[in-house]
Amino acid sequence: MKKYLKVDPWSIIEEGFVAENHEISESIFSIGNGHMGQRANFEEHYTGQSLQGSYMAGVYYPDKTRVGWWKNGYPEYFAKVLNSTNWIGIDVKVNGETLDLATCTVTDFVRELNMKEGVLRRSFTAELPGGKKVKVASTRFVSMSMKEIGAIKYAVTPVGFDADITFSPYLDGDVKNKDSNYDEKFWDEVSKSNRADQAVLTIKTKKLDFYLTSTMTYAVEVAGTKADVQPELTEKEKFVGHSFQVQAKADQEAVLYKYVSNVTSRDHAVDELASVGAEVLTKAVAAGFDSLLDQQKEAWAAKWKDSDIVIEGDVEAQQGIRFNIFHMNQTYTGEDSRLNIGPKGFTGEKYGGSTYWDTEAYCLPFYLSTADESISRNLLVYRYKHLEKAIENAEKLGFTDGAALYPMVTMNGEECHNEWEITFEEIHRNGAIAYAIYNYTRYTGDYSYLGEYGLEVLAGISRFWAQRVHFSKHQNQYVMLGVTGPNEYENNVNNNWYTNRIAAWTMEYTLDVIAYLKENEGARLDALMAKLNLSDAETAKWQEIIENMYYPADEEKGVFLQQDGFLDKELIPVSELDEKHLPLNQNWSWDRILRSCYIKQADVLQGLYFLNDQYDLETKKRNFDFYEPLTVHESSLSPCVHSILACELGYKEKAYEMYLRTARLDLDNYNNDTEDGLHITSMAGTWMSVVEGFGGKKIEDGTLSLNPFIPGHWQSFSFKIVFRGARLNVQVTPDSINIKNETDVETDLIVSGKEVTVKGNETIQVSLAASAV
Ligand code: BGC
């Protein structure tokens, strides 16, 4: 753990430059706008350790896979999010000396990510090797209102001497991924053009033909007056740059405004990239830096209006939760149903930027409650668009007749993962995709989704489950052998309770959807049954499986068993392990982990969280009491589920302890891996801990319900919920819950068990004194 950032409610602030923290800060101070993202790399040349990262949403590379032993069914490639053209670069020389923080003495260094405004700022004084000092201040953002635009203001002031300052802004496409299986470069140059007022670089991926055109222009001021400069033009392979000198008198500021547009062939025709790039750039320049900055502030104000959480009485918690919300909003903005959410967002290369079950299981609730429903709908449509690939994926593994197995890791619907125990066995991911449809429709009330897209996906997944189970004569029930549950610390187990349960639940839900469509959209159902070739005999078979599914359980303990053999394990609580063994994944051999009783992440409890209304409190309590002491939470996805259940069970301290494990995971670098990128899924989970855990938010029969409690030392906390056209600002204090309806949509809800109505633009107060948690 490394705590070096200042605590502040709205900003992340680093004071003092410590080179060994730089890569961690590059992740933490990343900026993004859903279309592109940028690690907090320095603009000027830097010879210290750095992970360069400029990412364009949806632009990826199918890097040829590397495995020990090939297994049939493995994918040929692992998709990689691509480090793309470095568009932020501005090299600086002062009287001929290069500004490089690795060779200068740096004082007054401050890096600040203003989350309210979506702006990254940095300032410092650098003493160059020759002894001269300059002050530098930079401001940069990727625009939320003009998604293809990035803008930088870079100011240099010589301290007490007259200086010749050389600025060299450039676009460099000659970049690499750190994560490349064969150390290849993934981009080829297509074209470049370079004139005094503008430089353009177009590069193309070596496979799949993604084109990226970056166009840059700039303006210069010295002591507040526009300076006309005559740049020297530089061109190299995949590189265009300008270089010019300005004279600044002692203590005069020389400012470079660099504007860049990044447009890709995902959004525009290849032959129009140059013209579109130039057009967008012209608009941005015409607006000017200050006005773009104002638009940025407005766009972020709108995001915060829908999604802010305010915690009074705990500034660290306040900063932590805003940081998480900020990155969720930077990562996915939801206009484009071809895009999804990588576990590291735009902040690093790990996990390849690909889509995991994380989206449906953890991220969806955030967007459902904080944004227009079209944004969540697009996350669902993404999987609809991949249905054919999911069917092909299942066919490769021997399934037939429209059975769909969604990939564990994907960019375009094809599986990218190639560890057999995950690729072939961690099939529970299919269940989360079905569950997301349920979660979306019950939250939004948008049942049109079911006929339009939902049923086709559900039928494909149900078909997969129906083929993946088989009838065991021994058990006289349906069983599912050879799977890996969410707990990846057990592989190839038989009858993982969670997987069996989510499989049967998917089939139940699919039948409910069919019944719903029969009643409400008969003609559409008939057309769908014909399209899918779905017969009554097939749905009857699903019903038979549902009724005869085997669920491992222990009667005496009154718990569901994670898998058939779980009770044969030596059950020693984590608290009795010597600390030196933890984390297990760094201290134990893999086989020792697999044989142990230790659970990486919520598994049975994941099921009790999803299917919450199907189990009584006593059942949840027995299972929680049994599994929580055995769980090591070595996946950052885990603590939030435990926290939410602990809230429901009234285990307030446990709930808060679990919440703390992820609340500042990256800010305090708990897992010592923040330099690789941020844990976006866990950020979504922390949001869930506050709103679904402490806030007790659920949907019961289409009605929003809240059952809050407030952690001991917080004075109050409040969160926003966008629900069916209304935006509610819910504030919880130790004594009461105050709900302000910020719209004119009247809303009925249940608060601590009581039915209440909040009229448009009204605030109601419900006393918490009498409410039980
Ligand atoms: C977790 C998976 C998760 C993946 C990406 C793994 O460590 O076990 O559940 O999908 O990380 O976040």
Side-chain angles (χ1 to χ4, degrees):
M1 180 159 112
K2 212 165 213 177
K3 257 180 130 104
Y4 64 92
L5 301 167
K6 251 185 99 175
V7 176
D8 181 280
W10 273 112
S11 281
I12 310 300
I13 303 166
E14 177 184 8
E15 288 180 339
F17 179 58
V18 178
E20 73 232 26
N21 292 341
H22 179 52
E23 283 179 296
I24 302 171
S25 291
E26 284 181 323
S27 300
I28 291 178
F29 291 80
S30 294
I31 49 175
N33 63 7
H35 169 74
M36 59 178 154
Q38 174 64 48
R39 281 171 62 84
N41 309 125
F42 294 156
E43 286 89 1
E44 73 279 356
H45 185 64
Y46 180 61
T47 50
Q49 279 293 329
S50 161
L51 173 65
Q52 191 71 38
S54 304
Y55 310 108
M56 295 296 138
V59 175
Y60 67 96
Y61 193 79
D63 198 14
K64 193 166 160 26
T65 209
R66 225 180 184 17
V67 284
W69 292 99
W70 186 262
K71 294 188 174 55
N72 276 345
Y74 269 178
E76 299 285 331
Y77 70 89
F78 192 95
K80 299 275 159 75
V81 60
L82 276 185
N83 182 23
S84 314
T85 296
N86 170 359
W87 60 270
I88 60 166
I90 304 171
D91 285 347
V92 179
K93 282 188 177 168
V94 180
N95 288 350
E97 276 191 286
T98 300
L99 176 66
D100 171 358
L101 263 55
T103 62
C104 294
T105 308
V106 184
T107 48
D108 309 325
F109 180 93
V110 181
R111 177 158 27 193
E112 178 184 354
L113 182 61
N114 183 323
M115 301 185 286
K116 194 171 192 171
E117 300 176 351
V119 179
L120 173 64
R121 293 193 174 86
R122 184 167 58 107
S123 59
F124 57 89
T125 302
E127 184 178 327
L128 295 152
K132 297 279 191 220
K133 283 189 181 173
V134 285
K135 282 188 182 169
V136 176
S138 79
T139 303
R140 101 175 164 227
F141 56 91
V142 285
S143 171
M144 268 288 175
S145 48
M146 295 181 76
K147 292 281 173 86
E148 290 160 322
I149 291 293
I152 303 169
K153 176 180 178 184
Y154 194 94
V156 181
T157 311
V159 182
F161 68 102
D162 296 351
D164 288 336
I165 300 172
T166 310
F167 286 113
S168 305
Y170 61 86
L171 299 169
D172 183 7
D174 194 20
V175 292
K176 278 179 80 162
N177 263 50
K178 183 178 172 194
D179 179 21
S180 150
N181 290 342
Y182 295 88
D183 211 27
E184 274 178 287
K185 288 189 174 171
F186 297 144
W187 294 98
D188 279 333
E189 179 178 313
V190 176
S191 63
K192 58 192 171 225
S193 80
N194 211 355
R195 13 176 257 242
D197 60 337
Q198 181 177 294
V200 188
L201 175 69
T202 298
I203 54 175
K204 163 172 139 350
T205 53
K206 289 192 171 148
K207 292 182 196 161
L208 298 184
D209 292 354
F210 285 110
Y211 286 70
L212 165 65
T213 297
S214 305
T215 309
M216 82 165 184
T217 190
Y218 50 87
V220 190
E221 280 173 8
V222 179
T225 308
K226 189 173 181 303
D228 283 321
V229 293
Q230 293 307 317
E232 199 180 294
L233 311 184
T234 324
E235 288 190 6
K236 287 187 284 190
E237 168 81 8
K238 295 183 254 183
F239 181 100
V240 279
H242 285 190
S243 208
F244 57 87
Q245 216 178 62
V246 293
Q247 279 73 44
K249 295 244 176 287
D251 306 315
Q252 276 187 348
E253 190 181 56
V255 182
L256 173 74
Y257 295 92
K258 181 177 180 185
Y259 304 88
V260 179
S261 66
N262 286 306
V263 297
T264 78
S265 54
R266 286 185 65 262
D267 301 310
H268 308 283
V270 170
D271 58 0
E272 287 173 4
L273 286 173
S275 58
V276 175
E279 208 177 293
V280 177
L281 189 64
T282 307
K283 272 195 202 142
V285 175
F289 191 86
D290 291 341
S291 139
L292 285 174
L293 192 56
D294 286 345
Q295 287 171 27
Q296 180 78 346
K297 291 177 191 170
E298 270 170 42
W300 272 99
K303 294 257 174 223
W304 288 112
K305 196 167 161 196
D306 286 346
S307 60
D308 194 17
I309 290 183
V310 179
I311 298 173
E312 284 184 327
D314 186 340
V315 188
E316 283 207 359
Q318 175 67 81
Q319 184 182 39
I321 193 68
R322 286 220 172 102
F323 181 66
N324 295 348
I325 295 169
F326 179 71
H327 277 287
M328 295 299 294
N329 280 327
Q330 296 208 106
T331 303
Y332 183 75
T333 49
E335 303 86 6
D336 183 344
S337 63
R338 297 166 303 165
L339 295 178
N340 209 278
I341 302 158
K344 298 269 164 210
F346 291 122
T347 67
E349 297 175 8
K350 204 168 169 203
Y351 294 114
S354 306
T355 307
Y356 287 64
W357 75 304
D358 303 34
T359 295
E360 285 80 10
Y362 295 87
C363 299
L364 182 73
F366 171 81
Y367 297 104
L368 269 176
S369 289
T370 62
D372 188 80
E373 71 185 42
S374 60
I375 287 177
S376 309
R377 198 176 214 258
N378 273 345
L379 282 176
L380 267 56
V381 170
Y382 173 91
R383 295 290 193 177
Y384 175 79
K385 289 188 173 162
H386 290 178
L387 178 58
E388 265 181 46
K389 293 263 193 229
I391 293 173
E392 279 169 29
N393 189 35
E395 277 168 0
K396 280 187 203 149
L397 307 187
F399 296 87
T400 57
D401 302 315
L405 175 60
Y406 278 91
M408 186 66 187
V409 178
T410 194
M411 276 291 185
N412 67 350
E414 287 165 11
E415 179 63 86
C416 292
H417 202 284
N418 48 31
E419 284 171 276
W420 64 269
E421 65 276 21
I422 293 179
T423 313
F424 307 135
E425 296 204 331
E426 212 177 321
I427 51 180
H428 69 80
R429 63 211 187 220
N430 246 8
I433 291 163
Y435 185 80
I437 298 174
Y438 165 72
N439 213 4
Y440 167 80
T441 45
R442 76 170 167 168
Y443 193 89
T444 60
D446 171 19
Y447 294 102
S448 70
Y449 187 81
L450 299 172
E452 245 173 280
Y453 303 106
L455 180 60
E456 290 183 56
V457 171
L458 291 169
I461 296 177
S462 287
R463 282 175 157 162
F464 172 80
W465 292 129
Q467 292 176 37
R468 186 60 169 75
V469 298
H470 73 271
F471 190 77
S472 153
K473 286 197 185 138
H474 172 67
Q475 293 283 9
N476 205 23
Q477 277 176 310
Y478 284 93
V479 296
M480 203 174 337
L481 306 185
V483 303
T484 297
N487 170 26
E488 291 171 343
Y489 284 2
E490 288 191 315
N491 297 154
N492 204 33
V493 296
N494 294 334
N495 295 308
N496 170 255
W497 181 84
Y498 173 77
T499 310
N500 283 16
R501 187 68 202 96
I502 205 75
W505 175 85
T506 308
M507 290 185 261
E508 269 164 38
Y509 178 53
T510 310
L511 294 178
D512 288 351
V513 168
I514 291 175
Y516 168 84
L517 291 173
K518 193 170 199 163
E519 204 170 311
N520 298 285
E521 294 182 51
R524 185 178 313 247
L525 178 65
D526 291 345
L528 279 168
M529 296 289 272
K531 177 175 175 191
L532 296 169
N533 202 13
L534 190 60
S535 66
D536 289 348
E538 191 171 359
T539 55
K541 176 76 187 169
W542 296 349
Q543 186 60 43
E544 196 228 88
I545 296 172
I546 295 165
E547 285 164 16
N548 295 288
M549 184 67 114
Y550 165 72
Y551 299 110
D554 183 75
E555 298 282 315
E556 204 183 305
K557 292 186 167 35
V559 297
F560 303 125
L561 291 182
Q562 193 169 265
Q563 46 100 357
D564 276 346
F566 195 75
L567 285 186
D568 293 332
K569 295 191 162 192
E570 207 179 355
L571 302 177
I572 303 169
V574 182
S575 57
E576 287 177 26
L577 275 181
D578 191 326
E579 290 246 327
K580 70 174 193 251
H581 296 286
L582 297 170
L584 298 180
N585 60 19
Q586 283 172 26
N587 294 295
W588 281 13
S589 70
W590 188 235
D591 81 297
R592 188 174 177 191
I593 290 179
L594 293 180
R595 283 183 279 114
S596 81
C597 65
Y598 301 115
I599 299 171
K600 179 185 179 189
Q601 69 195 90
D603 193 299
V604 168
L605 298 189
Q606 182 78 41
L608 296 181
Y609 161 68
F610 272 168
L611 308 180
N612 195 276
D613 54 357
Q614 302 197 1
Y615 298 96
D616 58 32
L617 264 188
E618 276 310 308
T619 306
K620 289 177 210 167
K621 185 170 181 317
R622 281 193 306 274
N623 282 280
F624 187 93
D625 292 348
F626 182 70
Y627 284 111
E628 162 53 25
L630 302 175
T631 308
V632 285
H633 299 291
E634 288 181 12
S635 160
S636 66
L637 279 55
S638 185
C640 64
V641 171
H642 284 235
S643 178
I644 294 167
L645 285 171
C647 284
E648 192 184 0
L649 297 172
Y651 294 159
K652 297 184 181 182
E653 274 174 31
K654 184 49 103 183
Y656 190 63
E657 177 201 324
M658 287 292 107
Y659 155 81
L660 281 184
R661 286 184 76 135
T662 55
R664 293 178 55 93
L665 181 74
D666 288 311
L667 282 181
D668 296 339
N669 194 12
Y670 261 74
N671 288 359
N672 272 325
D673 62 357
T674 300
E675 63 273 23
D676 295 338
L678 306 178
H679 299 80
I680 299 296
T681 317
S682 140
M683 292 180 166
T686 311
W687 178 91
M688 280 161 49
S689 305
V690 175
V691 176
E692 299 185 8
F694 304 148
K697 187 211 81 174
K698 285 186 190 170
I699 302 299
E700 291 173 16
D701 291 331
T703 304
L704 179 64
S705 115
L706 302 167
N707 193 13
F709 88 82
I710 180 161
H713 60 290
W714 291 4
Q715 285 157 16
S716 76
F717 71 102
S718 51
F719 53 90
K720 307 281 187 114
I721 295 186
V722 177
F723 182 70
R724 303 198 182 186
R727 185 178 56 246
L728 306 177
N729 186 345
V730 179
Q731 189 200 32
V732 183
T733 75
D735 313 313
S736 65
I737 171 163
N738 307 303
I739 305 172
K740 182 175 180 199
N741 190 342
E742 296 182 345
T743 54
D744 45 23
V745 181
E746 181 171 310
T747 305
D748 296 328
L749 66 163
I750 302 169
V751 180
S752 302
K754 276 185 241 157
E755 286 180 18
V756 296
T757 300
V758 207
K759 296 211 176 79
N761 303 304
E762 188 192 63
T763 301
I764 61 158
Q765 188 174 72
V766 179
S767 164
L768 275 186
S771 74
V773 178

